[in-house]
C-alpha cells in the first residue's frame, strides 16, 4: 500500500515537472517573461510617458499606469509564392514567433507592443498601432471568441481570419467596420493572385523598383532560441516567483 | 586637495548625467493626421508625400490627385491612376517638387546622426524599404528619442494604417519593422518649401 502511494506521488511529481517544463519553455510564455521585464527595463514604458498623446493615452496619468496585458496574439504567415487560393487560407498559414501584446491602462487596450524572436533572441520590434483592439472588435462584432481569430499576414497585408460554421470569414487590418465576411476573403484571395506577378522582378535596382505594398516578406517561422532550455526555465521560475 | 578632487568628480558626473539623460524630438504631423493610404492600394509613397506637403503648406491634395500626377503627367497615361500603381523613388520626389517642396534623395539609409539632424530641423523624411523581390514600401520618419540608457529610438508613421510607431533605430535601419526580407535602400530628406 505504502509502495503504491510512493509510486503515485513519484508519478505525480514527474507529470507535474514535465508539464511545468513544457509550459515554462513555450515560446508565448518566454515572450511574456521577456516583455514584462523589457517594458520597464528597456524604456518602452518611458516612451509611453514621453509620447502619450500620439500613442493614444487620454492623459499623462493614464500613460503612467500603462502595463503589458496577459494574452498575446500570434501572427501567422502565408507564403505568397506557394499559397493556394482555392483552399482555406488559415489552414495554410504557418505560425511565427511574432507576438502582439496589448498595452493596457485602466482596463482598456490603448496600443500594441510587438515581440519577435530575431536571430534567436527576443526583441521588442515596435510599439504602437491598434491591431489588438481591432481583433477584439472583430471577435465581439462577429460573435466569436478572441482565440478563434487568427492574424494572417501575406507580404505586408494583415487579415483577421476565423472559421465560423464551416466557412472561412475575415476582415482586413486596418478596417472600418470589423465585419468578417466570406466576401472579404474572396477579395483578399483575388488580391493575392493579382500580386504574385510582382515577385518576378528580383533583378531590378532600387532606383527602378516601384514602391507600393507588396514585397515577399520573409516573416521568419524559426523558433530556435539562443538561450538553452535550463536558462529559460530558470528565468521563467525567477519571473514567476518575483526573484 | 582631496576635497577639490571630489568636487571636480561630482561636477563631471553631473555634466555626464545632464548630457545623456532624456532627449526626444518629434515633428507635429499636423491637423490632417493620420494620412492613411486606401485599403489594398499601393499608395504608401503618396501618403508620405501628402504628409510632407501638409507639413509645409498646411494643406495638400488628396492621394488620388498625387497619384494622377505620376500616372498622367510623368508617365503620360490616360484616365485615373489605379490604386495598384506603385511609384519609384524619383517619382515620389518629383511629386513633392511639383507641389513646391524641394528635397534631396539618395539610394541609401540615413545615419542616426542624420535622422536626428533632420527631425531637429522639423524635416520629415521618407525611408524606402526594398525586398529581395516584389515592390518596396515607404515609411515616414517623424521623431527620435535617445533617453539614457535605453538607446536610440525612432518614431515613424506607417501609411498602411496611418498610426505612428516607435522602434529602435537598428530595427528601423535594418528593415525588420517592415519584414525580414527588407532593407532601407533609399531616402528622401532635406525637404523645404521653395
Amino acid at each position: 500500500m505504502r509502495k503504491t502511494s510512493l509510486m503515485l506521488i513519484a508519478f505525480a511529481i514527474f507529470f507535474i515537472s514535465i508539464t511545468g517544463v513544457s509550459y515554462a519553455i513555450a515560446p508565448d510564455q518566454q515572450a511574456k517573461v521577456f516583455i514584462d521585464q523589457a517594458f520597464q527595463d528597456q524604456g518602452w514604458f518611458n516612451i509611453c510617458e514621453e509620447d502619450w498623446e500620439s500613442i493614444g493615452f487620454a492623459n499623462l496619468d493614464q500613460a503612467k499606469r500603462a502595463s503589458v496585458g496577459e494574452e498575446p496574439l500570434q501572427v501567422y504567415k502565408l507564403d505568397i509564392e506557394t499559397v493556394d487560393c482555392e483552399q482555406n487560407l488559415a489552414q495554410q498559414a504557418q505560425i511565427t514567433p511574432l507576438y502582439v501584446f496589448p498595452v493596457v491602462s485602466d482596463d482598456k487596450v490603448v496600443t500594441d507592443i510587438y515581440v519577435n524572436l530575431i536571430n534567436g533572441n527576443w526583441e521588442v520590434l515596435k510599439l504602437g498601432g491598434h491591431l489588438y483592439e481591432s481583433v477584439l472588435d472583430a471577435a465581439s462584432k462577429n460573435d466569436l471568441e478572441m482565440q478563434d481569430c487568427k492574424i494572417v499576414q501575406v507580404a505586408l497585408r494583415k487579415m483577421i481570419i476565423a472559421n465560423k460554421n464551416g466557412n472561412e470569414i475575415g476582415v482586413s487590418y486596418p478596417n472600418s467596420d470589423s465585419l468578417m465576411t466570406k466576401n472579404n476573403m474572396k477579395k483578399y484571395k483575388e488580391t493575392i493572385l493579382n500580386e504574385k506577378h510582382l515577385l518576378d522582378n528580383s533583378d531590378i535596382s532600387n532606383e527602378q523598383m516601384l514602391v507600393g505594398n507588396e514585397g515577399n516578406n520573409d516573416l521568419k517561422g524559426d523558433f530556435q532560441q539562443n538561450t538553452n532550455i535550463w536558462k529559460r526555465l530558470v528565468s521563467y521560475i525567477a519571473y514567476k516567483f518575483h526573484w | 586637495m582631496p576635497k577639490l578632487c571630489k568636487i571636480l568628480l561630482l561636477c563631471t558626473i553631473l555634466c555626464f548625467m545632464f548630457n545623456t539623460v532624456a532627449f526626444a524630438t518629434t515633428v507635429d504631423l499636423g491637423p490632417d493626421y493620420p494620412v492613411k493610404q486606401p485599403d489594398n492600394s499601393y499608395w504608401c509613397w503618396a501618403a508620405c508625400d501628402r504628409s510632407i506637403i501638409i507639413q509645409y503648406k498646411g494643406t495638400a491634395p488628396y492621394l488620388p490627385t498625387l497619384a494622377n500626377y505620376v500616372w498622367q503627367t510623368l508617365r503620360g497615361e490616360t484616365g485615373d491612376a489605379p490604386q495598384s500603381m506603385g511609384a519609384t523613388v524619383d517619382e515620389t520626389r518629383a511629386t513633392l517638387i511639383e507641389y513646391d517642396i524641394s528635397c534631396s534623395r539618395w539610394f541609401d539609409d540615413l545615419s542616426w546622426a542624420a535622422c536626428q539632424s533632420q527631425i531637429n530641423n522639423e524635416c520629415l523624411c521618407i525611408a524606402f524599404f526594398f525586398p529581395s523581390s516584389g515592390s518596396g514600401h515607404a515609411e515616414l520618419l517623424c521623431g527620435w528619442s535617445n533617453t539614457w540608457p535605453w538607446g536610440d529610438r525612432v518614431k515613424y508613421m506607417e501609411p498602411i494604417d496611418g498610426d505612428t510607431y516607435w522602434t529602435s533605430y537598428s530595427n528601423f535601419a535594418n528593415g525588420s519593422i517592415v519584414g525580414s526580407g527588407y532593407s532601407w535602400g533609399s531616402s528622401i530628406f532635406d525637404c523645404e518649401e521653395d
Side-chain angles (χ1 to χ4, degrees):
Chain A
M1 179 64 185
R2 198 174 161 192
K3 198 175 171 183
T4 314
S5 301
L6 282 172
M7 278 177 69
L8 276 173
I9 290 167
F11 178 76
I13 290 171
F14 176 74
F15 182 76
I16 290 166
S17 306
I18 293 294
T19 50
V21 168
S22 339
Y23 184 69
I25 60 169
D28 57 337
Q29 291 300 317
Q30 291 295 315
K32 175 65 180 158
V33 171
F34 166 77
I35 191 57
D36 272 354
Q37 291 167 345
F39 189 60
Q40 291 285 347
D41 297 350
Q42 293 184 9
W44 297 100
F45 174 77
N46 176 268
I47 291 281
C48 291
E49 285 186 324
E50 271 178 14
D51 197 27
W52 60 268
E53 196 168 8
S54 81
I55 289 173
F57 292 96
N59 50 51
L60 179 59
D61 284 340
Q62 194 189 43
K64 285 179 188 290
R65 292 191 292 274
S67 61
V68 177
E70 288 298 319
E71 296 291 330
L73 291 168
Q74 195 147 20
V75 178
Y76 292 74
K77 69 166 183 178
L78 282 171
D79 185 339
I80 196 168
E81 290 182 81
T82 59
V83 63
D84 179 358
C85 291
E86 299 294 313
Q87 306 295 322
N88 276 6
L89 294 186
Q91 286 173 356
Q92 300 173 67
Q94 296 168 287
I95 201 162
T96 73
L98 175 59
Y99 294 90
V100 184
F101 284 87
V103 175
V104 297
S105 186
D106 302 336
D107 296 325
K108 182 176 172 282
V109 176
V110 179
T111 189
D112 306 328
I113 191 160
Y114 290 67
V115 175
N116 196 10
L117 195 57
I118 300 175
N119 298 326
N121 296 312
W122 291 108
E123 279 188 30
V124 172
L125 186 64
K126 56 185 178 179
L127 168 82
H130 299 93
L131 178 57
Y132 201 96
E133 200 181 347
S134 289
V135 178
L136 278 174
D137 274 356
S140 148
K141 285 185 181 156
N142 295 279
D143 296 322
L144 293 163
E145 296 295 323
M146 193 138 153
Q147 53 267 34
D148 297 332
C149 298
K150 261 185 186 174
I151 302 167
V152 176
Q153 181 166 337
V154 57
L156 299 185
R157 295 182 197 286
K158 289 190 183 74
M159 190 90 184
I160 303 163
I161 296 178
N163 197 306
K164 191 175 181 184
N165 305 325
N167 294 315
E168 190 168 51
I169 55 173
V171 65
S172 62
Y173 173 78
N175 58 70
S176 48
D177 60 8
S178 301
L179 201 61
M180 297 168 79
T181 64
K182 273 171 75 175
N183 199 38
N184 286 343
M185 291 306 299
K186 194 178 158 197
K187 282 186 198 162
Y188 191 50
K189 287 176 176 178
E190 282 170 2
T191 309
I192 293 171
L193 285 173
N194 288 338
E195 286 165 353
K196 284 196 176 201
H197 74 277
L198 284 170
L199 301 177
D200 299 330
N201 61 355
S202 53
D203 290 336
I204 69 170
S205 65
N206 287 354
E207 287 89 334
Q208 296 167 305
M209 192 179 271
L210 291 173
V211 177
N213 269 352
E214 295 304 326
N216 193 13
N217 184 2
D218 182 23
L219 198 58
K220 298 286 183 198
D222 184 5
F223 283 83
Q224 186 68 41
Q225 294 185 47
N226 288 344
T227 48
N228 68 40
I229 190 170
W230 300 113
K231 276 189 182 168
R232 279 184 261 159
L233 188 58
V234 168
S235 68
Y236 178 79
I237 292 167
Y239 164 78
K240 275 289 173 194
F241 292 99
H242 304 288
W243 290 345
Chain B
M1 182 61 183
K3 198 176 175 183
L4 185 66
C5 286
K6 280 181 187 169
I7 290 169
L8 277 172
L9 184 66
L10 192 64
C11 287
T12 312
I13 291 170
L14 283 174
C15 283
F16 180 76
M17 283 176 68
F18 280 113
N19 277 320
T20 52
V21 182
F23 288 107
T25 306
T26 59
V27 178
D28 184 7
L29 288 171
D32 280 356
Y33 168 80
V35 180
K36 178 176 131 7
Q37 67 189 78
D39 293 346
N40 297 321
S41 80
Y42 284 23
W43 292 355
C44 53
W45 58 274
C48 292
D49 269 359
R50 183 163 196 266
S51 297
I52 291 176
I53 299 168
I54 290 172
Q55 158 82 1
Y56 290 97
K57 305 258 178 193
T59 182
Y62 287 103
L63 302 191
T65 309
L66 300 178
N68 279 339
Y69 171 73
V70 172
W71 184 250
Q72 295 164 0
T73 309
L74 298 182
R75 297 190 189 170
E77 301 282 356
T78 53
D80 286 337
Q83 290 198 345
S84 59
M85 185 196 79
T88 63
V89 174
D90 280 342
E91 287 170 336
T92 307
R93 180 171 177 246
T95 307
L96 285 173
I97 291 168
E98 168 67 12
Y99 289 93
D100 302 325
I101 307 292
S102 69
C103 54
S104 307
R105 67 104 175 83
W106 78 333
F107 292 100
D108 206 342
D109 59 10
L110 295 179
S111 68
W112 168 244
C115 291
Q116 285 179 298
S117 165
Q118 291 291 314
I119 300 300
N120 291 348
N121 291 325
E122 300 250 311
C123 287
L124 297 168
C125 307
I126 306 178
F128 296 89
F129 295 88
F130 297 108
S132 51
S133 62
S135 66
H137 187 53
E139 309 274 15
L140 187 75
L141 190 65
C142 59
W144 65 267
S145 162
N146 74 340
T147 301
W148 187 84
W150 298 305
D152 305 333
R153 304 267 161 85
V154 292
K155 181 183 178 181
Y156 66 96
M157 188 203 74
E158 171 57 76
I160 292 176
D161 56 18
D163 278 322
T164 53
Y165 291 82
W166 282 93
T167 187
S168 64
Y169 171 74
S170 61
N171 276 336
F172 193 82
N174 68 25
S176 297
I177 51 125
V178 182
S180 59
Y182 286 77
S183 58
W184 182 357
S186 295
S187 314
I188 286 180
F189 57 102
D190 277 350
C191 297
E192 59 183 346
E193 191 175 3
D194 277 343

